[in-house]
Amino acid sequence: MTLPAQISVSFDFTQGATFGYPFTIGDAKYGKLGTGTLASTTTLEPTVDLTPDVRQIRITRGRNVMRDTYEAGTCTVRVLDPLSYFNPQNTSSPYFGLLSPLRKLRVSATFNDVGYFLFSGYTTEYLYTYPQGQETGYVDIICSDAFRLMQQATVTTVASATAGQDTGTRINAILNQVSFPTSMRTIDTGQTTCIADPATARTSLDAVKNAEFSEQGAFFFNSEGTAIFLNRTNVIKKYGDTPIEFDQTTGIPYTNLVFAFDDKLIINSAGMTRVGGTQQVAENATSIAKYFPHQSNQENLVAQTDTDTLNIARIYVATRQETTIRIDAMTVDLLDPDVPTDTMLDLDYFSNLKISNVQPDGSTIIKTLQAQGFSWNITPNAMQVTVTTLEPIIEGFIIGSAVSGIIGSSIMAY
């Protein structure tokens, strides 16, 4: 069976975090503007196309709903290895001396001559299986995105992390500290200012997550491997984009809709404390009376003032004080001819999805949610994605929006 998009898996044996190839003047492949990466050498990168031998790809990336944070994306690529090329002790392998953890791997899909990355990350493990008899040996290449690199890098004092700088500038300073490439960042100017770096030992990921939470923004790595930081205004604005419709009739078809109706995501009391400050508490009495207390506490935030910290607590509660029936996930089969392949490949975090479902009793549930996670399963005969959905992680008043532009239905961003 032919897949609706051409899948490609590339393996780059070079060191460093940067994806891409060096721009080489006059080279037919590496001399095209917009496709190469400027580099200090003209030596071609030893990149291997694994596609012909790939038999399965599993990708999972997204926001952990219960932990309320983005987590490391992972990818497992199963590659047939009849000649034991991926055995690091095989001296006759063309990869001998090159195999190592934390090499670069990318999965892409091409549809109508347009390329879409599904995952960009770094190898963490090679699992070898060499069955006896007639079966062909294979290796599972397990990868993680750059969250893994940041989790392994400890920082203490962050250079240039001075008092009064915005959260975006602070995140850039942390990324500079661990030498994350500037070419792989898209960082908004933050709207919350920070204290001077507290100079405590923590991972660089923890330091970034602190600034992200103090902003009430979003920090993640996209499918191209780029570090993205959205300030809270731009997170709010995302909900004003036109949603893509999924339903059982005229919209994009789906299966395995996962419903939930519980109190797991309710927060009606929040205590927030900045470094050197006093705890600031925001509560919603109506929600507490209805659902009992559901509290969240955050300490050692890098927000500069107690006023900023109180605003964080207020907006956190305002977004999470109520619950309703949820659609947590749905699965879309790209082999279905009614599924637009380019639309599905182009989905990313914060894509708005209008999901309609007719219930057995004839009633219809309609929810406008945001994509916050993707689990791909790709084989030579299958191409499916399970999309994790979530209410907006922060709400605000959007002028002109049919959903968030009604006075009294949304909170004003501070």
Side-chain angles (χ1 to χ4, degrees):
M1 182 177 293
T2 303
L3 297 183
Q6 180 181 346
I7 304 301
S8 176
V9 179
S10 63
F11 195 106
D12 185 343
F13 293 109
T14 59
Q15 301 179 25
T18 304
F19 293 93
Y21 308 99
F23 177 77
T24 307
I25 295 175
D27 188 275
K29 182 176 181 180
Y30 300 98
K32 297 179 181 179
L33 289 173
T35 63
T37 301
L38 292 178
S40 58
T41 176
T42 58
T43 302
L44 300 186
E45 305 282 351
T47 301
V48 176
D49 181 12
L50 299 180
T51 308
D53 296 319
V54 171
R55 287 300 174 266
Q56 185 176 46
I57 301 168
R58 292 186 181 274
I59 299 168
T60 300
R61 46 186 295 269
R63 189 174 184 87
N64 185 311
V65 175
M66 297 306 301
R67 288 168 54 87
D68 199 19
T69 187
Y70 293 98
E71 295 190 335
T74 61
C75 176
T76 300
V77 176
R78 177 162 292 184
V79 179
L80 296 182
D81 192 23
L83 300 178
S84 193
Y85 280 172
F86 277 90
N87 180 350
Q89 300 181 91
N90 180 6
T91 57
S92 63
S93 167
Y95 310 148
F96 181 72
L98 297 174
L99 288 171
S100 174
L102 299 180
R103 303 305 84 170
K104 291 164 283 192
L105 183 143
R106 289 183 121 173
V107 179
S108 63
T110 301
F111 178 76
N112 284 345
D113 295 325
V114 178
Y116 304 84
F117 286 109
L118 302 182
F119 180 83
S120 301
Y122 308 88
T123 59
T124 59
E125 193 172 1
Y126 303 86
L127 296 181
Y128 305 92
T129 302
Y130 297 118
Q132 297 294 321
Q134 300 300 313
E135 296 180 70
T136 300
Y138 61 86
V139 58
D140 286 337
I141 305 174
I142 301 175
C143 310
S144 174
D145 66 18
F147 269 129
R148 169 65 180 261
L149 304 184
M150 298 189 66
Q151 183 63 37
Q152 300 298 316
T154 300
V155 296
T156 50
T157 302
V158 177
S160 304
T162 57
Q165 67 184 183
D166 68 88
T167 48
T169 302
R170 176 59 53 87
I171 287 173
N172 265 323
I174 297 166
L175 295 176
N176 290 341
Q177 190 77 17
V178 297
S179 301
F180 192 79
T182 56
S183 62
M184 294 172 58
R185 309 180 199 173
T186 301
I187 309 296
D188 281 351
T189 299
Q191 296 174 313
T192 295
T193 56
C194 302
I195 62 169
D197 182 73
T200 56
R202 71 276 195 207
T203 69
S204 60
L205 182 58
D206 285 339
V208 167
K209 288 290 185 180
N210 192 326
E212 174 198 33
F213 192 89
S214 297
E215 172 69 27
Q216 286 295 284
F219 178 85
F220 54 89
F221 288 92
N222 68 9
S223 56
E224 296 184 16
T226 300
I228 306 292
F229 173 64
L230 301 177
N231 64 32
R232 60 177 173 271
T233 293
N234 285 331
V235 169
I236 291 170
K237 286 181 177 178
K238 291 288 187 180
Y239 199 50
D241 295 343
T242 302
I244 301 166
E245 295 197 19
F246 293 79
D247 61 40
Q248 297 151 305
T249 54
T250 59
I252 300 174
Y254 56 79
T255 60
N256 300 332
L257 211 61
V258 179
F259 290 99
F261 187 39
D262 51 48
D263 69 339
K264 292 179 180 178
L265 304 185
I266 295 174
I267 300 293
N268 51 32
S269 176
M272 307 290 177
T273 309
R274 68 184 182 92
V275 176
T278 58
Q279 187 181 58
Q280 305 296 306
V281 178
E283 295 183 331
N284 183 275
T286 301
S287 177
I288 291 174
K290 186 176 181 180
Y291 301 117
F292 302 100
H294 288 62
Q295 189 164 12
S296 175
N297 294 308
Q298 297 286 336
E299 298 181 347
N300 298 318
L301 298 178
V302 294
Q304 191 170 24
T305 68
D306 282 343
T307 299
D308 286 338
T309 308
L310 178 59
N311 284 331
I312 294 169
R314 286 173 173 168
I315 200 168
Y316 201 71
V317 169
T319 304
R320 296 163 174 82
Q321 64 198 16
E322 192 52 76
T323 189
T324 183
I325 190 169
R326 302 195 312 272
I327 296 174
D328 284 350
M330 64 179 175
T331 300
V332 178
D333 187 350
L334 277 75
L335 267 61
D336 187 329
D338 292 327
V339 172
T341 301
D342 52 348
T343 299
M344 296 307 301
L345 294 176
D346 202 35
L347 289 183
D348 206 345
Y349 299 151
F350 297 102
S351 293
N352 291 325
L353 317 175
K354 183 179 180 181
I355 305 172
S356 302
N357 183 261
V358 179
Q359 298 292 289
D361 64 356
S363 64
T364 302
I365 295 176
I366 301 176
K367 303 285 290 186
T368 299
L369 306 166
Q370 291 185 321
Q372 290 290 356
F374 304 93
S375 293
W376 288 92
N377 179 32
I378 303 172
T379 71
N381 298 308
M383 188 173 182
Q384 293 182 330
V385 59
T386 297
V387 183
T388 302
T389 59
L390 192 65
E391 300 281 354
I393 61 175
I394 178 174
E395 296 178 353
F397 181 76
I398 304 173
I399 296 175
S401 170
V403 177
S404 301
I406 302 174
I407 295 176
S409 66
S410 302
I411 57 174
M412 297 292 289
Y414 63 95

